[in-house]
Amino acid sequence: MSSARSLERRRTWKRRRVTIPAMLSVTACALLFAPLLLVGCLAVDVVRGRRRLTTLRAYLFSLQYLVNDSVEILAAGPLWLIAGLGRNLNGTSSIRRHQRLQAWSIRVLARRAEQLLGIGVEIDERSEEALGDGPAIVLCRHVSLFDASLPALLYLRRDRHTSGVVMAELLADPGFDLLYQRSGSVFIERDNSAEAIAAVQGFAAKLAPGSIVVIFPEGRLFRPELLEKSLTRLRDCDPTRFDQVSELTHLLPPRVGGFSALLDAFPEADVVVINHAGLDCCPAFADVARNAPLPSNVRVAVHRIHRRDIPVDVAERSRWLDEQWLAMDRWVQQTLTITGSG
């Protein structure tokens, strides 16, 4: 066990020796040359007849992201010192300090996303109430990098912090790496299911009684080509389940493993399902940048399911999760049709 931890520590510092200087350097250059880059972006927009100044908006949002990330990196050192030279990083006080920094970063980026990119969030009172408090396991669809922080943002409006099950690829972002590792989230490898489930189980076993945990059961961003591949694979290896989920058009078939591990290790938690529509036309940042500001808000629907209504049997739980996903898919289609985006 100690050798595994030592190996992981070496990997971590090997990664951070590259990512931290790179992020700080890019941010310094973006700030240093900001006057020239702002003029350049404006010139591009004028020459191409972009009255909404999409290039300028994209640059300003990117600059805010870089600044936030660098603030997180620079704050990590003092927070490490305050935590007894890192000895108490997992202590309650240290986690709360990192959570406050995380909350600041999410709120600032959410404001800039709305001001610059037109990504506002529209949620009705009923859905707002359905969020509730912990203990809860939050499921959310995943179609864009921008929806990754949607559950955290919604709960921050209620002064509640969330932790998450996060894909390890995001460790390439050094601010995210430092901050989220210390504020209660767990990072898992996408294609190593046995180790990933074990990591989720260990993470869930340490959760405080009132925790709110976010997981994206699709495991990756929705793309039509990925849906086709997923359905083809299910048709070949699990025809029964293929028949259940073959009508999906806007969501990938959910993976039950990590979600089920969370449920078993966190037996008091309800399930909160967060659905949304409005980012489907702009899955990548480049798409958002070309269309900024987006013409309509991201519409959000939330419902809460009491723990007693969730199957215990794994096979029944899988069918139940598929039913939730099919209902979400129908809602997305209806919403996109009503808003003229479908």
Side-chain angles (χ1 to χ4, degrees):
M1 183 66 72
S2 60
S3 61
R5 281 198 295 267
S6 178
L7 177 61
E8 180 60 30
R9 193 176 296 113
R10 287 198 298 272
R11 287 176 178 171
T12 296
W13 286 112
K14 181 179 179 180
R15 177 180 69 244
R16 291 175 180 174
R17 281 198 298 269
V18 175
T19 60
I20 290 175
M23 177 58 71
L24 293 176
S25 298
V26 170
T27 305
C29 289
L31 290 171
L32 180 64
F33 296 107
L36 289 175
L37 291 170
L38 288 169
V39 172
C41 290
L42 182 60
V44 169
D45 286 330
V46 171
V47 168
R48 297 188 177 183
R50 296 173 177 170
R51 295 183 179 181
R52 295 178 298 175
L53 305 179
T54 55
T55 307
L56 182 62
R57 290 172 181 271
Y59 171 71
L60 288 172
F61 180 81
S62 300
L63 183 60
Q64 182 69 70
Y65 183 90
L66 292 172
V67 169
N68 277 37
D69 212 86
S70 294
V71 168
E72 292 163 7
I73 293 169
L74 295 174
L79 289 174
W80 180 82
L81 290 172
I82 294 171
L85 301 180
R87 290 189 298 271
N88 300 316
L89 275 176
N90 294 324
T92 301
S93 297
S94 176
I95 290 174
R96 286 178 179 168
R97 284 190 287 269
H98 286 85
Q99 287 175 348
R100 285 194 290 270
L101 178 59
Q102 179 181 330
W104 166 83
S105 186
I106 290 172
R107 287 183 171 122
V108 169
L109 285 175
R111 284 198 298 272
R112 296 296 176 265
E114 184 169 9
Q115 294 165 347
L116 297 169
L117 306 178
I119 302 179
V121 176
E122 184 178 321
I123 182 171
D124 59 35
E125 186 176 345
R126 183 176 179 181
S127 290
E128 190 81 47
E129 287 300 316
L131 288 168
D133 294 324
I137 297 171
V138 179
L139 310 181
C140 186
R141 73 176 294 224
H142 200 16
V143 72
S144 166
L145 292 175
F146 287 94
D147 65 35
S149 59
L150 178 61
L153 176 63
L154 293 174
Y155 275 100
L156 278 176
R157 292 177 174 182
R158 302 173 63 86
D159 292 322
R160 298 291 184 273
H161 177 80
T162 61
S163 55
V165 178
V166 187
M167 292 298 106
E169 292 97 311
L170 289 175
L171 291 172
D173 179 327
F176 202 94
D177 176 2
L178 289 162
L179 183 57
Y180 281 71
Q181 292 240 52
R182 297 178 181 182
S183 62
S185 292
V186 62
F187 289 79
I188 62 172
E189 297 291 341
R190 187 190 303 280
D191 298 319
N192 195 342
S193 58
E195 287 188 16
I197 289 175
V200 170
Q201 290 171 334
F203 158 73
K206 300 174 184 177
L207 290 171
S211 296
I212 301 169
V213 184
V214 178
I215 187 170
F216 294 83
E218 291 162 290
R220 62 190 67 220
L221 293 173
F222 173 84
R223 296 291 183 270
E225 62 273 17
L226 289 178
L227 175 60
E228 184 178 352
K229 288 180 181 179
S230 296
L231 292 178
T232 300
R233 185 169 58 250
L234 282 175
R235 184 179 58 201
D236 295 338
C237 68
D238 193 346
T240 300
R241 189 169 182 224
F242 169 78
D243 291 338
Q244 293 173 195
V245 300
S246 60
E247 296 180 6
L248 289 172
T249 56
H250 299 285
L251 288 84
L252 299 176
R255 301 179 178 187
V256 73
F259 167 62
S260 191
L262 270 179
L263 277 175
D264 291 338
F266 201 21
E268 303 301 321
D270 291 340
V271 170
V272 175
V273 180
I274 296 179
N275 201 3
H276 62 86
L279 292 169
D280 304 76
C281 63
C282 302
F285 180 72
D287 300 314
V288 175
R290 280 194 298 269
N291 292 280
L294 300 188
S296 58
N297 289 334
V298 177
R299 296 193 177 188
V300 176
V302 183
H303 67 278
R304 190 180 186 104
I305 301 145
H306 291 294
R307 184 53 181 262
R308 62 177 177 270
D309 297 323
I310 301 170
V312 176
D313 178 77
V314 174
E316 291 181 7
R317 189 178 282 172
S318 180
R319 285 192 294 272
W320 174 87
L321 186 58
D322 286 341
E323 290 170 1
Q324 303 301 315
W325 242 239
L326 287 165
M328 292 169 71
D329 195 88
R330 290 190 292 270
W331 180 88
V332 171
Q333 181 58 55
Q334 292 168 2
T335 304
L336 293 178
T337 300
I338 291 170
T339 59
S341 303

